[in-house]
């Protein structure tokens, strides 16, 4: 039997867009600081300026964003998801201090300034852009890997106080890289270029694998927890010559510093003497 309903077109219910009155109510309720808003035809909103929603108990964002042509600040809430975040942020993005946030999924795909996700509960960086143009603040999380994180950071990269066991993933840091207070055993996977400082703990081996790294200066952090494990700490003569380590790192691919796990003191001192004699 022929279905009578097939003779008539199916009418799709038009999606109801959020109104300016509803947006105004949300802004007032959560004490949001916000630039001019444009409601797009797809139901998302663009902000012609900054957007700030902080110090609330919100577990998710109350609006769905397209582009934000300023800063987007959603730190210091109780967010458990970044769903609704803009895809593009022209200025800084900050989702830090949301202690229940475990993933960056649904976060911005492009950020023009700093990207901050510190003091959350992140275990990985899935959802993070491959390039950060400003500073990258991801300290005080539970990161175990940099896989799926940014490959290039334009300015400083703060990764201290995590559970990282490798630096693999990072390739270019425009300014400084801070990786103290992690679970690093060595420096394998270290970026090829660090424009200023590389800072790591004194219980990390000077082992870059079969790679090299251009870095301006190195700062070795003396950790109290490491001092009780003297067999794992860098020898005193290494710490005392840390100002010469950038040249050693530059030629690391061509030198041998370790015999299995033992640092070869003679080899280290020989290359340091060459640096003091003018090797650059």
């Amino acid at each position: 039997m022929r279905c009578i309903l097939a003779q008539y077109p199916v009418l799709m219910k038009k999606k109801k867009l959020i109104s300016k009155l509803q947006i105004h109510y949300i802004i007032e309720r959560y004490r949001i600081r916000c630039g001019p808003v444009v409601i797009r035809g797809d139901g998302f909103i663009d902000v012609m300026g900054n957007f700030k929603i902080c110090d609330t108990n919100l577990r998710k964002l109350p609006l769905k964003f397209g582009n934000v042509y300023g800063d987007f600040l959603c730190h210091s809430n109780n967010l458990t998801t970044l769903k609704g975040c803009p895809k593009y942020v022209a200025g800084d993005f900050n989702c830090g201090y949301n202690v229940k946030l475990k993933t960056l999924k649904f976060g911005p795909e492009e950020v023009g300034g700093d990207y901050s996700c510190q003091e959350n509960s992140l275990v990985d960086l899935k959802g993070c852009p491959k390039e950060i143009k400003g500073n990258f603040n991801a300290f005080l999380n539970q990161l175990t890997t940099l896989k799926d994180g940014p490959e290039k950071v334009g300015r400083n990269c703060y990764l201290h106080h995590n559970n990282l066991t490798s630096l693999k993933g990072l390739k270019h840091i425009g300014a400084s890289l801070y990786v103290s207070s992690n679970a690093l055993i060595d420096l394998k996977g270290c970026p090829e270029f660090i424009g200023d400082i590389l800072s790591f703990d004194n219980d990390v081996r000077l082992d870059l694998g079969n790679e090299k790294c251009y870095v301006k200066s190195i700062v070795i952090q003396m950790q109290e927890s490491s001092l009780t494990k003297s067999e794992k700490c860098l020898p005193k003569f290494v710490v005392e010559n840390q100002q010469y380590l950038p040249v050693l790192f530059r030629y690391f691919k061509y030198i041998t510093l370790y015999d299995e796990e033992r640092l070869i003191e003679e080899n280290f001192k020989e290359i340091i003497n060459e640096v003091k004699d003018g090797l650059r």
Side-chain angles (χ1 to χ4, degrees):
M1 181 177 178
R2 186 178 174 184
C3 180
I4 298 176
L5 291 177
Q7 301 176 22
Y8 302 95
V10 178
L11 297 177
M12 300 296 293
K13 186 177 180 180
K14 188 176 180 180
K15 184 177 180 180
K16 187 177 180 181
L17 301 181
I18 191 169
S19 68
K20 288 188 176 181
L21 184 62
Q22 289 172 312
I23 293 174
H24 178 74
Y25 170 77
I26 292 172
I27 289 174
E28 290 292 320
R29 180 179 177 182
Y30 296 109
R31 301 187 302 276
I32 296 171
R33 296 176 62 182
C34 182
V37 170
V38 175
I39 303 173
R40 304 192 330 191
D42 57 6
F44 292 85
I45 65 172
D46 291 345
V47 180
M48 305 298 138
N50 299 328
F51 182 91
K52 180 179 179 181
I53 180 169
C54 303
D55 300 307
T56 75
N57 290 318
L58 283 172
R59 298 179 64 184
K60 63 180 181 179
L61 294 170
L63 297 167
K64 295 181 179 179
F65 298 87
N67 300 317
V68 172
Y69 298 96
D71 299 335
F72 188 88
L73 310 178
C74 57
H75 59 80
S76 308
N77 295 295
N78 285 323
L79 297 181
T80 60
T81 177
L82 294 181
K83 197 168 185 178
C85 271
K87 296 300 180 185
Y88 170 77
V89 176
D92 297 338
F93 172 73
N94 191 336
C95 66
Y97 311 106
N98 286 288
V99 295
K100 297 179 181 179
L101 187 64
K102 296 181 179 180
T103 178
L104 297 176
K105 187 179 179 182
F106 304 117
E109 296 174 358
E110 183 178 356
V111 173
D114 297 345
Y115 190 110
S116 300
C117 54
Q118 70 277 1
E119 295 199 46
N120 293 318
S121 296
L122 305 176
V123 295
D124 60 48
L125 294 172
K126 291 179 181 178
C128 189
K130 287 299 180 183
E131 179 178 356
I132 305 295
K133 295 181 174 64
N135 297 312
F136 182 51
N137 303 308
F139 55 90
L140 285 167
N141 275 287
Q142 299 171 25
L143 296 174
T144 59
T145 177
L146 296 178
K147 183 181 178 182
D148 300 312
E151 295 180 353
K152 183 177 182 179
V153 176
R155 293 184 58 78
N156 298 308
C157 183
Y158 299 95
L159 295 170
H160 52 87
H161 292 88
N162 277 289
N163 297 317
L164 295 174
T165 58
S166 171
L167 297 179
K168 189 174 182 180
L170 291 169
K171 294 182 179 179
H172 183 106
I173 306 296
S176 298
L177 173 60
Y178 299 91
V179 293
S180 62
S181 298
N182 274 285
L184 294 171
I185 297 174
D186 52 45
L187 295 170
K188 292 178 181 178
C190 191
E192 301 167 358
F193 179 90
I194 301 173
D196 198 358
I197 299 169
L198 170 61
S199 176
F200 55 89
D201 292 336
N202 64 321
D203 60 354
V204 176
R205 286 160 43 105
L206 296 180
D207 187 0
L208 304 181
N210 194 33
E211 301 299 328
K212 58 182 179 179
C213 170
Y214 177 90
V215 58
K216 185 176 180 181
S217 61
I218 288 174
V219 175
I220 299 175
Q221 299 290 338
M222 306 298 291
Q223 299 292 332
E224 290 184 7
S225 59
S226 298
L227 296 179
T228 59
K229 303 175 182 178
S230 58
E231 73 281 358
K232 293 185 178 180
C233 292
L234 290 170
K236 184 178 179 181
F237 62 82
V238 172
V239 177
E240 291 175 342
N241 287 283
Q242 61 185 284
Q243 69 268 34
Y244 303 112
L245 293 182
V247 179
L248 183 147
F249 274 38
R250 201 173 307 170
Y251 293 99
F252 197 90
K253 188 175 182 179
Y254 310 104
I255 62 178
T256 301
L257 274 188
Y258 283 89
D259 179 10
E260 295 183 352
E261 294 188 1
R262 185 183 70 88
L263 180 68
I264 306 173
E265 181 178 345
E266 298 79 12
N267 290 10
F268 177 84
K269 290 183 176 180
E270 181 179 351
I271 188 68
I272 293 300
N273 287 332
E274 291 183 15
V275 174
K276 291 179 179 179
D277 289 339
L279 178 65
R280 294 291 181 268

